[in-house]
């Protein structure tokens, strides 16, 4: 059996807003921020921008994966390919694609993907992802134990 979900501490991480576009492309937004807050039985995402505001709550039993990922900026790659014939100017953009990667914390649930653009050292984001997955497994264990009890009663 898992742990008592009410005793788990609340932890959070903050970063820049990210839009998950068609095909799973992660695009950081210029303005705004996103906070992931791990509450006792859910992951709460709070995003705010210039106009847009969003609060999404995902039950921990629905979390299927957490990932800290690093990707190059596709804008640099596109500019690099387009401007390559211009006296090799494209090589500068292609070099920037590899030298200035962006880091993301991505939460996958059954039918929803949410992400934030990491700021600073990645250690706290890795710890947060580990905590979410650990607490998600506790939540699933508790749901499984509860289902077993209900099966015995019925």
């Amino acid at each position: 059996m898992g742990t008592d979900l009410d005793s788990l501490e609340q932890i959070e991480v903050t970063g820049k807003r990210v839009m998950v576009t068609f095909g799973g492309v992660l695009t950081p937004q210029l303005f705004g921020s996103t906070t992931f807050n791990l509450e006792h039985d859910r992951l709460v995402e709070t995003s705010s921008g210039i106009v847009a505001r969003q609060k999404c709550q995902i039950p921990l039993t629905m979390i299927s994966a957490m990932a800290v990922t690093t990707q190059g900026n596709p804008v640099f790659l596109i500019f690099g390919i387009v401007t390559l014939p211009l006296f090799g100017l494209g090589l500068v953009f292609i070099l920037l694609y590899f030298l200035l990667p962006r880091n993301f914390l991505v939460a996958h649930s059954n039918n929803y993907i949410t992400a934030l653009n990491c700021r600073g050292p990645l250690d706290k984001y890795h710890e947060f992802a580990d905590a979410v997955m650990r607490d998600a497994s506790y939540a699933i264990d508790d749901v499984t134990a509860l289902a077993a009890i209900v099966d015995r009663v019925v």
Side-chain angles (χ1 to χ4, degrees):
M1 183 119 116
T3 184
D4 180 18
L5 291 176
D6 294 330
S7 68
L8 298 174
E9 65 180 74
Q10 293 185 8
I11 57 175
E12 69 178 31
V13 291
T14 302
K16 289 187 65 105
R17 287 185 62 180
V18 172
M19 181 171 49
V20 182
T21 59
F22 182 73
V25 177
L26 302 171
T27 309
Q29 304 298 297
L30 293 175
F31 305 103
S33 67
T34 296
T35 300
F36 284 174
N37 188 0
L38 178 58
E39 294 185 356
H40 59 88
D41 65 343
R42 62 193 64 246
L43 174 66
V44 179
E45 172 210 8
T46 307
S47 289
S48 61
I50 294 175
V51 177
R53 304 248 187 287
Q54 175 179 340
K55 183 174 182 179
C56 178
Q57 299 184 24
I58 305 170
L60 289 178
T61 56
M62 302 298 283
I63 300 288
S64 58
M66 292 290 294
V68 178
T69 182
T70 301
Q71 299 177 357
N73 189 337
V75 173
F76 288 145
L77 188 60
I78 292 169
F79 280 150
I81 292 170
V82 169
T83 60
L84 197 55
L86 299 175
F87 307 108
L89 178 64
L91 291 176
V92 173
F93 288 113
I94 292 173
L95 190 61
L96 289 173
Y97 174 79
F98 291 106
L99 293 178
L100 300 175
R102 299 172 302 171
N103 301 304
F104 300 99
L105 175 62
V106 184
H108 300 268
S109 69
N110 292 350
N111 55 0
Y112 187 70
I113 297 174
T114 185
L116 63 79
N117 191 3
C118 303
R119 296 179 186 160
L122 296 179
D123 294 340
K124 66 180 177 180
Y125 297 100
H126 284 286
E127 290 172 10
F128 183 82
D130 291 343
V132 169
M133 293 310 297
R134 181 185 61 247
D135 292 355
S137 69
Y138 292 152
I140 290 170
D141 289 345
D142 288 345
V143 168
T144 304
L146 182 62
I149 291 169
V150 168
D151 284 343
R152 275 188 252 145
V153 171
V154 174

